[in-house]
Amino acid sequence: SIRGLLREMAALIEVVVEVECSQTELGDNIGLVGGAGSIGDWNPARAARLDGASFPIWRATISLEVGRSVEYKYVILKQNGGATWEACDGNRVRTVSDVAETWKDGKFGEKGIATSAVALAGSSNPVVAECTSADPRGGTVDKGADTSAAAAPSELLLNIHCDETAPGDVVAIAGSWDWKGAPLALDGSTYPVWRHRLNVDGRKRIEYKFLVLKKDGTQVWEPMDGNRVLEGTDLDAKERDLGKLRFAPPSRSSQKDHKAGRQSKNGASPPSHVEGNNGNVIVGADRTIYGKVSLDYGTIEQRMAKRMDQPTNLQGDYDEQLHNRARNGQRASLHADVPSLEQALRSRAVPPSEAGQPPWQGLPPTTRIEEDSAQVFAEIVALEGQGTITLADRFDTALRILEGAAEGSAVPWTVLVWLRFSQARQLTWQRKRNTKPAHLSSAAQSLSELISARWKDRGGERLVWRLLLSCVPRGSRSDDGQAIRDYILVIMQKYQLKKRKGDFMEQWHQKLHNNTTPDDIHICEAYLQFLRSDGSLALFYEHLEGHGITRERLQTFERPILQEPVFFPSIKNGLINEFQHYLEILKNVHAGADLEKCLDAAGGLDGNLRGILEAVNAESGAGEHRLLPVLGGIAEARAGLARGGVGATRDGLYLDLALEAQARLLAERLGSHIDVRSAALAVTLLFEGLSLSIEASELRAAASDLVAMLGREGTHESMRASAAAARVRGSLAGVADVFVKLQPRAETLGAALRQATPEALPEAWAVSIFSEELARGGPGFAVSLLLSTYEKQLRKILGAEAWQMVSVTDRRLGKLVVVPEMRGEDVLDGATVLLTEKLSGEEDPPEGAVAVLTPDAVDVLSHVAVRARTMGIFLATCFDADVWESVRQFKGQHVSVSAKAGAVMVEVAAEAAGGADTAATSAGLAGKKVTVPRPAPSEELWVQEDAISACKAAGAKSHNLVALRNALPDWIQIPQSAVVPYGVLDRVLRSPENATAARRYQEISAELSGSPAAADARLQEIRKLIHGLQPPAQLMPALQAAVEAHGASAGDARWWEALTAVWASSWNDRAYHACRRAGIQPSDVAMAVLVQRIVPAEYSFVVHTRHPTGDPSELYAEIVLGLGEVLVGNYAGRALAFAAPRDGSAAPRVTCLPSKGVAMFGSGLIFRSDSNAEDLEDFAGAGLFDSITARETSERVLRYAGEQLVDDAAFREKLLKGIASLSMAVEKAAGGGPQDIEGCYAGGKYFVVQTRPQA
């Protein structure tokens, strides 16, 4: 029509509408309906749907004609197809502006703007005055009719009383106005009276009938012959009360009519109406990440029936029909493809700054249990050693201990170890005393409530409180505890089970009556398996043993179960039904993180969140093709819990623990054959969950790196993904370290308990694997399973090997020894190939090591790598978990290690180490003695840069920098240098203020020049002594003035502590042991100190101008963000690495992108070691001694998404070319030999911090 054409040509503008409504129920939506096509032309079925993501605020963006006056109303679109209009006089009205705006309409039903009380002339929009439910047919005006003078339709208010509905059910009406259409929902706001305004305009007779729309999607019609009728004067009334609506079980014949699809006697056709509503359980479910979330979950009993997929013997045909409907009805489902799940992860990713936050917090203490928990330790051991004990005693004692534990104390960690032993049945649950189930249930609830409150109140300690909660059952203060005693008797009496002494049921009843424990859950489950399998004892015992309950354990209960269950075919189904209910009672008391139980207990969940949770629960046994959507549902649900207040409640925490456990089970079922995109998604979903379980900024940042790479393809993107995966691998190692820190505490407590308890528990083997089992049962283990698959796929895409060569030598022979971490002070027994699970930058390879292999990432230019190459030790990193495990299989055997075609070959050696091939069984220069000339001490306190070249008491580091300054081009900067020369420490020791310290210094240094048995203790003492030296009054003014003249400011006030710390580092453990192995006596080390201003580095780099492990015609460099200590100290993760032709004939080639989790930043002065034991040809002294800043440095947790070094190709290429040019310029200025260069980039300028001949 012309009117329609003009409307299409009119100018449109987008308007944001916003209304507050908290009156919706599960699955409801809010719609905007009014006099415009984009808002449905007053038809609720075509309403503009609002988004409830910011519940209770609902928003939508709609297109409207500029200049038009629009009348409208909001309506609740019910999940069953009905509509509830906002109850306000007249319609809302707005004039559409030509400027985009937001209509903030206040609360649903409360108009805050001008409205029309009557229909406006020329308007086709009906006024919906004070209506709470509208008939979408009777309330819709024919758009083609001229309604300029339309009046409101005649309405009859029907009131019906119905109190037989369950929560979520709705009373509805259907009638002759449209029998085939969807029934219209009644307004239940005045429950139990339900109301509906019926349009009777122009009608002489109306037939109708009531029904209940069940929340499971089914319909129950009122049981009456024929239909209700309104005619004549009935239609003239304004309101009618229709009495009470009753429902009764249908007769067998009516069921048959229904099954046969026949029309009912009342004239309505229930089957057709049921079909019309199927699948319409949720309206507007597109607010979730899933296209549809069906909430057909029903009652607890119905859900259990669906999960078990077993028939239940219920009384009568009607109950059987209900059960079958629940069991066979539409199941909850999660529909989401990989791109949708990726987008959901991106939308959940929160990129807050991690500045000032440590990578990890709330970690286990490193102190000994006797030091930090002595009183609690003694109390626990005394309790467990008593003649009688029950689980309730243990929970009561733990409650009292934890109530008195101060924030930040180690006590909760000690209690965690204790309760973990109990949970694993490594402490008896009952010894020579009975416990009332109600007491046990109440004790468990009190303890779990305290733990939950502490988790909420002590944000820095949440990890330990979460772990504690996982060890404690939920408990209850309701009648559930007593019901454990009572209901088993009800079952036995109801089914006339004989209470003969020695019968299985009677023996189990005696245990339940006197000492119920969490074992009873699994006994009940096993008995249900027994019943469903028609008496299979094999399945009965298989289920028990799968949960750690052997026949021996059954027989050794204080109330032993000696007999096997007996199968009664005639009452099978009845017993299944009863014991299914009894299982719920047991779980109410004993279960903690049981998903279904947690879901039933959790309150305060919004509709979408509960819908996803129900869907996850329904798909707990999902097939392999459904695992990713279910994992996505778990991730969405856990994120929703974290956002909402319910996640901080006890029920919310238990629910989150249950979801974590469910995700772990599903992850274990994902096969290694999934494609790389699916693997990336699975790893990211699981790691996101880990970052929720363990609140650490490093985990959150690593998760954001993973999310940033989802769905991206290409070589550079695959390299970025590989770096993100490597960071995750490092983060998982950090998580494992959390549990490893608990092992000494477990061993101490375990040994004491084993000696005190009559059962000699916990067993030694259980104690020895305590931390390993804790880690394997935690959320990190599921991530690691899939991460290996993902990393393999990325390496295949990139053509990368499973090994990274760090120090390549000829073939090495030795005995393969596996250690948790490498310790430089160890002395190995003969030639050893060392497999170390952990490798930091603080240690040297120990004496006797000929090769070191590790799964830890090692920077090729870190100090530990340089020292390995200098010592002739083979060093490589393995990135493939399967390859690593295959190498571990050689433990204890003599093997050969060699490099071949980019891989490390580890093979059983034909000859034993120590044979004829001495080159293969010695660590290069490890046995060679190094001579260190000791310079004469200087009489100067401070040497400025222009005098360093003449100072013989300064080290090679200072001399090299001075020589470089005049030989480098102007664009390469060198920080101004000064030296505190060798000899100043001696003068400080000779001062009167330090006379006592000097005597002790001489005694200790003399001892350490020999071979003291307690070297480590003596080293610690002498370092402490040097740290504590007093500034001599005679020397201090001159030193203070020199430091200030060099640029010190108020922020460098701790410069004296920095200076003494560098002096003390000549006695640190790694330096002492490395020097002794090379024949250098501690007294030969002369420590000068180089003083420089810190360059506020944006990026720091180390370059070897001749590739240390690759093509010698190339240079090799590594780059990190911030200061270089993160690189040379081999902090966790890898630096950006690149190689470039030495002659500049080609652009730099990136071989690895960065994955380090932190960057270090600082300013002010730095005091660097500059001893005579560094930069030697035959001794790798680099990094043995310390460099200390006069101000505290800060660490920042990194997020690489958006970092220009990673994302900006042009910037990266310019930076790398600049570093390559700098490197060759430094080599030329240093005389042409290969150089080991440390430098940085800041403010567009390049700096050289130091250089030395390349080892």
Side-chain angles (χ1 to χ4, degrees):
S1 67
I2 295 177
R3 180 182 297 177
L5 181 60
L6 290 173
R7 185 184 300 122
E8 291 176 4
M9 295 172 63
L12 299 178
I13 193 167
E14 288 191 339
V15 175
V16 177
V17 295
E18 178 179 300
V19 69
E20 179 180 349
C21 181
S22 57
Q23 302 164 28
T24 52
E25 296 179 346
L26 182 65
D28 295 347
N29 205 335
I30 297 293
L32 180 67
V33 189
S38 60
I39 52 176
D41 281 331
W42 291 105
N43 184 352
R46 294 189 287 110
R49 295 178 181 274
L50 277 65
D51 178 18
S54 301
F55 183 87
I57 303 300
W58 301 74
R59 296 185 179 91
T61 301
I62 55 177
S63 295
L64 293 170
E65 183 180 337
V66 173
R68 180 173 181 175
S69 178
V70 179
E71 292 188 55
Y72 61 99
K73 267 192 173 182
Y74 293 99
V75 60
I76 297 177
L77 303 173
K78 306 296 289 183
Q79 62 171 336
N80 54 33
T84 300
W85 294 75
E86 58 178 341
C88 54
D89 292 333
N91 303 321
R92 299 177 185 265
V93 60
R94 295 254 195 184
T95 299
V96 183
S97 169
D98 60 352
V99 178
E101 57 183 351
T102 298
W103 293 355
K104 295 190 176 182
D105 284 338
K107 292 186 177 181
F108 183 89
E110 298 179 11
K111 292 185 296 183
I113 57 174
T115 62
S116 62
V118 296
L120 301 175
S123 169
S124 62
N125 310 330
V127 175
V128 188
E130 289 192 297
C131 71
T132 56
S133 180
D135 180 348
R137 298 158 195 77
T140 301
V141 177
D142 185 353
K143 290 183 289 183
D146 182 0
T147 58
S148 59
S154 300
E155 292 180 333
L156 171 60
L157 177 63
L158 301 179
N159 301 319
I160 189 78
H161 183 285
C162 180
D163 57 4
E164 298 182 27
T165 55
D169 296 347
V170 177
V171 177
I173 187 173
S176 56
W177 54 84
D178 188 0
W179 281 113
K180 295 182 179 180
L184 308 177
L186 273 63
D187 173 31
S189 60
T190 56
Y191 181 88
V193 176
W194 300 75
R195 294 178 173 178
H196 179 69
R197 291 186 180 274
L198 186 63
N199 177 14
V200 297
D201 203 21
R203 301 182 187 273
K204 295 183 179 181
R205 176 184 173 89
I206 296 177
E207 292 188 31
Y208 66 102
K209 207 165 192 179
F210 293 101
L211 69 158
V212 172
L213 304 175
K214 305 293 287 182
K215 67 178 180 181
D216 62 2
T218 58
Q219 300 174 352
V220 179
W221 293 77
E222 60 176 329
M224 61 177 293
D225 293 330
N227 301 320
R228 296 176 183 262
V229 176
L230 290 170
E231 57 185 349
T233 57
D234 294 338
L235 299 173
D236 297 330
K238 296 296 183 182
E239 183 173 356
R240 286 186 61 84
D241 294 319
L242 301 176
K244 189 164 186 176
L245 183 63
R246 294 186 180 276
F247 293 85
S251 65
R252 183 182 298 270
S253 61
S254 67
Q255 289 180 47
K256 290 177 179 177
D257 287 343
H258 180 87
K259 294 175 182 177
R262 302 170 189 168
Q263 183 164 321
S264 301
K265 298 176 182 178
N266 57 27
S269 179
S272 67
H273 291 304
V274 171
E275 291 169 4
N277 266 335
N278 271 353
N280 196 27
V281 181
I282 285 189
V283 177
D286 55 351
R287 295 202 309 272
T288 71
I289 62 169
Y290 309 101
K292 179 179 179 182
V293 181
S294 300
L295 300 189
D296 177 29
Y297 47 89
T299 64
I300 295 174
E301 291 78 9
Q302 290 169 335
R303 290 211 309 276
M304 289 304 300
K306 284 202 289 185
R307 286 183 71 194
M308 304 310 296
D309 273 340
Q310 294 291 334
T312 303
N313 185 32
L314 302 172
Q315 301 299 315
D317 292 331
Y318 181 58
D319 288 340
E320 181 182 357
Q321 181 191 30
L322 287 179
H323 171 77
N324 288 333
R325 181 182 298 155
R327 182 164 63 89
N328 299 320
Q330 185 180 14
R331 290 174 178 262
S333 59
L334 298 168
H335 300 285
D337 56 14
V338 169
S340 299
L341 292 169
E342 291 172 342
Q343 182 55 40
L345 276 162
R346 294 187 195 100
S347 67
R348 290 196 298 268
V350 180
S353 170
E354 306 290 357
Q357 299 184 32
W360 304 89
Q361 61 180 352
L363 302 180
T366 56
T367 49
R368 296 169 62 241
I369 193 172
E370 301 94 325
E371 299 170 357
D372 56 41
S373 310
Q375 183 177 346
V376 169
F377 172 63
E379 188 174 352
I380 291 172
V381 173
L383 174 72
E384 296 294 344
Q386 291 178 167
T388 64
I389 191 173
T390 66
L391 266 179
D393 296 332
R394 191 170 291 138
F395 292 158
D396 287 338
T397 303
L399 175 67
R400 181 168 45 78
I401 290 173
L402 291 174
E403 281 178 331
E407 188 169 1
S409 80
V411 167
W413 292 104
T414 300
V415 175
L416 170 64
V417 174
W418 173 38
L419 294 184
R420 182 73 179 185
F421 282 144
S422 174
Q423 183 187 38
R425 301 191 185 94
Q426 285 297 316
L427 290 172
T428 185
W429 286 350
Q430 184 266 336
R431 182 190 305 136
K432 297 183 179 179
R433 196 167 84 220
N434 298 337
T435 302
K436 292 181 179 179
H439 176 199
L440 173 60
S441 180
S442 178
Q445 172 150 345
S446 297
L447 179 56
S448 63
E449 285 176 343
L450 174 75
I451 292 171
S452 302
R454 290 289 190 269
W455 181 93
K456 182 177 181 181
D457 297 339
R458 299 182 178 179
E461 302 178 3
R462 285 186 167 174
L463 175 58
V464 66
W465 296 108
R466 181 183 177 89
L467 292 170
L468 276 166
L469 192 65
S470 70
C471 298
V472 178
R474 177 187 300 276
S476 171
R477 290 199 185 94
S478 65
D479 295 333
D480 288 326
Q482 186 60 34
I484 291 178
R485 281 185 167 186
D486 297 343
Y487 199 73
I488 188 68
L489 288 174
V490 170
I491 296 173
M492 294 173 72
Q493 292 169 1
K494 180 177 180 179
Y495 291 92
Q496 300 181 358
L497 298 176
K498 295 180 180 179
K499 295 177 62 175
R500 352 179 251 267
K501 193 173 181 67
D503 177 76
F504 165 80
M505 193 60 66
E506 169 59 15
Q507 290 175 346
W508 185 27
H509 158 252
Q510 289 298 326
K511 178 189 181 305
L512 292 162
H513 188 80
N514 294 285
N515 289 296
T516 181
T517 66
D519 282 337
D520 293 313
I521 290 177
H522 306 305
I523 294 173
C524 187
E525 290 171 339
Y527 185 61
L528 283 166
Q529 291 269 36
F530 171 80
L531 292 172
R532 293 189 179 103
S533 62
D534 291 337
S536 171
L537 288 171
L539 290 179
F540 175 77
Y541 286 113
E542 178 183 335
H543 185 87
L544 288 176
E545 290 170 3
H547 291 86
I549 305 174
T550 62
R551 297 186 190 222
E552 180 183 9
R553 181 170 178 80
L554 289 173
Q555 296 166 4
T556 54
F557 289 142
E558 290 234 344
R559 301 285 180 166
I561 300 177
L562 304 173
Q563 298 299 317
E564 297 176 335
V566 176
F567 180 62
F568 302 101
S570 61
I571 54 175
K572 165 189 170 180
N573 290 336
L575 289 178
I576 288 174
N577 196 40
E578 298 290 357
F579 277 102
Q580 192 65 63
H581 179 62
Y582 192 59
L583 179 61
E584 294 299 308
I585 295 173
L586 290 169
K587 285 184 175 182
N588 285 344
V589 175
H590 294 303
D594 177 83
L595 180 56
E596 182 138 16
K597 181 52 58 185
C598 290
L599 187 51
D600 294 338
L605 303 174
D606 66 60
N608 285 333
L609 180 55
R610 179 167 286 280
I612 295 171
L613 286 164
E614 292 288 358
V616 166
N617 183 47
E619 294 209 52
S620 57
E624 189 168 322
H625 69 289
R626 297 286 302 147
L627 294 180
L628 277 177
V630 181
L631 281 174
I634 291 173
E636 181 84 358
R638 294 194 65 192
L641 287 174
R643 287 193 302 268
V646 69
T649 65
R650 185 182 75 123
D651 289 338
L653 288 170
Y654 272 123
L655 179 54
D656 191 64
L657 285 167
L659 290 168
E660 174 189 282
Q662 184 73 358
R664 185 171 62 248
L665 292 172
L666 294 174
E668 291 172 359
R669 293 171 50 202
L670 273 172
S672 60
H673 59 275
I674 58 176
D675 62 83
V676 66
R677 188 170 181 180
S678 297
L681 174 61
V683 168
T684 308
L685 288 169
L686 292 167
F687 195 77
E688 179 194 39
L690 178 64
S691 69
L692 293 174
S693 299
I694 302 178
E695 297 183 11
S697 56
E698 164 59 19
L699 296 181
R700 291 192 295 271
S704 72
D705 285 351
L706 280 176
V707 171
M709 298 315 304
L710 290 174
R712 300 172 72 165
E713 298 178 350
T715 301
H716 180 73
E717 303 303 332
S718 296
M719 194 177 290
R720 282 192 61 185
S722 181
R727 182 175 187 180
V728 167
R729 177 70 66 187
S731 298
L732 292 177
V735 172
D737 284 346
V738 171
F739 302 117
V740 169
K741 286 182 173 69
L742 285 176
Q743 188 61 35
R745 195 167 296 265
E747 291 174 356
T748 302
L749 182 58
L753 289 172
R754 189 162 55 254
Q755 188 173 5
T757 57
E759 302 87 3
L761 291 174
E763 298 169 273
W765 66 266
V767 174
S768 68
I769 62 171
F770 178 86
S771 61
E772 179 184 345
E773 287 302 303
L774 199 59
R776 290 179 68 87
F781 184 67
V783 183
S784 66
L785 289 175
L786 286 168
L787 185 60
S788 296
T789 296
Y790 182 39
E791 289 178 311
K792 280 183 180 179
Q793 292 169 329
L794 288 172
R795 285 197 300 273
K796 184 176 181 180
I797 291 171
L798 294 169
E801 299 290 343
W803 292 90
Q804 176 197 17
M805 304 302 174
V806 180
S807 173
V808 180
T809 67
D810 294 332
R811 187 174 70 122
R812 291 288 183 252
L813 292 172
K815 182 180 179 180
L816 194 141
V817 175
V818 179
V819 295
E821 60 183 332
M822 188 172 75
R823 290 164 42 90
E825 61 269 29
D826 291 343
V827 177
L828 302 173
D829 183 17
T832 302
V833 174
L834 202 62
L835 263 66
T836 176
E837 301 287 349
K838 184 178 179 182
L839 182 66
S840 73
E842 297 299 317
E843 65 281 284
D844 269 348
E847 186 173 341
V850 297
V852 177
L853 308 178
T854 179
D856 242 9
V858 179
D859 292 309
V860 174
L861 303 185
S862 62
H863 287 322
V864 67
V866 172
R867 291 197 289 273
R869 289 194 290 273
T870 303
M871 297 168 68
I873 295 175
F874 191 103
L875 175 59
T877 296
C878 181
F879 296 124
D880 191 307
D882 293 335
V883 173
W884 180 252
E885 285 303 313
S886 68
V887 174
R888 282 175 60 97
Q889 302 307 310
F890 294 120
K891 179 179 178 180
Q893 300 184 57
H894 288 279
V895 299
S896 69
V897 178
S898 59
K900 184 177 181 181
V904 174
M905 308 299 294
V906 181
E907 302 168 302
V908 175
E911 68 274 36
D917 191 352
T918 56
T921 58
S922 63
L925 302 172
K928 185 174 181 178
K929 302 304 179 185
V930 177
T931 301
V932 177
R934 184 181 180 88
S938 173
E939 293 300 320
E940 300 288 334
L941 289 176
W942 184 273
V943 179
Q944 295 288 1
E945 182 173 303
D946 56 6
I948 288 177
S949 58
C951 179
K952 298 186 181 300
K957 196 178 296 182
S958 307
H959 285 285
N960 289 343
L961 287 174
V962 170
L964 274 180
R965 184 178 293 280
N966 295 327
L968 288 175
D970 292 341
W971 64 273
I972 301 176
Q973 310 287 310
I974 296 178
Q976 197 71 27
S977 301
V979 172
V980 178
Y982 165 64
V984 177
L985 173 59
D986 292 341
R987 294 175 65 181
V988 171
L989 285 167
R990 290 198 301 268
S991 67
E993 294 90 341
N994 296 302
T996 301
R999 286 192 294 272
R1000 184 56 184 154
Y1001 178 87
Q1002 294 299 328
E1003 292 170 1
I1004 300 173
S1005 60
E1007 286 185 56
L1008 289 170
S1009 294
S1011 300
D1016 290 351
R1018 292 291 176 266
L1019 288 168
Q1020 184 177 2
E1021 184 180 356
I1022 199 170
R1023 290 196 299 270
K1024 184 177 180 180
L1025 184 149
I1026 298 173
H1027 277 296
L1029 290 175
Q1030 297 301 307
Q1034 186 178 1
L1035 306 179
M1036 197 60 178
L1039 271 174
Q1040 179 74 43
V1043 170
E1044 290 177 357
H1046 198 63
S1049 61
D1052 298 295
R1054 58 187 289 269
W1055 67 266
W1056 175 257
E1057 289 82 356
L1059 177 61
T1060 56
V1062 177
W1063 284 337
S1065 73
S1066 60
W1067 298 96
N1068 68 44
D1069 292 356
R1070 65 181 182 275
Y1072 174 80
H1073 292 292
C1075 288
R1076 286 187 61 84
R1077 283 199 299 270
I1080 301 172
Q1081 289 297 320
S1083 57
D1084 292 337
V1085 178
M1087 181 63 73
V1089 180
L1090 170 64
V1091 184
Q1092 295 176 308
R1093 286 205 64 78
I1094 294 176
V1095 178
E1098 299 169 40
Y1099 304 98
S1100 292
F1101 53 83
V1102 176
V1103 185
H1104 279 196
T1105 58
R1106 194 174 300 276
H1107 201 306
T1109 61
D1111 186 348
S1113 69
E1114 292 185 323
L1115 61 84
Y1116 178 82
E1118 292 177 334
I1119 309 172
V1120 296
L1121 277 72
L1123 299 180
E1125 177 58 27
V1126 173
L1127 172 55
V1128 297
N1130 199 49
Y1131 279 42
R1134 297 179 69 183
L1136 181 145
F1138 76 90
R1142 287 166 48 83
D1143 61 7
S1145 59
R1149 183 182 73 260
V1150 175
T1151 59
C1152 175
L1153 287 173
S1155 59
K1156 291 189 181 293
V1158 297
M1160 184 181 292
F1161 297 91
S1163 60
L1165 298 180
I1166 184 168
F1167 290 70
R1168 299 179 182 273
S1169 67
D1170 193 18
S1171 74
N1172 59 338
E1174 298 175 70
D1175 301 338
L1176 302 176
E1177 183 178 353
D1178 293 334
F1179 178 63
L1184 288 180
F1185 310 103
D1186 293 339
S1187 296
I1188 308 294
T1189 58
R1191 302 181 187 182
E1192 291 286 348
T1193 57
S1194 62
E1195 286 187 357
R1196 190 180 81 212
V1197 177
L1198 296 174
R1199 294 171 183 258
Y1200 287 104
E1203 164 54 47
Q1204 62 179 350
L1205 182 64
V1206 174
D1207 281 346
D1208 188 335
F1211 170 80
R1212 183 174 58 252
E1213 183 175 4
K1214 180 181 177 181
L1215 178 67
L1216 270 52
K1217 285 182 176 180
I1219 293 173
S1221 298
L1222 174 148
S1223 304
M1224 298 316 299
V1226 170
E1227 181 182 278
K1228 180 180 178 181
Q1235 293 292 298
D1236 176 353
I1237 305 164
E1238 294 182 26
C1240 61
Y1241 174 87
K1245 297 179 180 179
Y1246 295 87
F1247 295 81
V1248 173
V1249 176
Q1250 67 181 49
T1251 187
R1252 62 174 69 89
Q1254 180 176 327

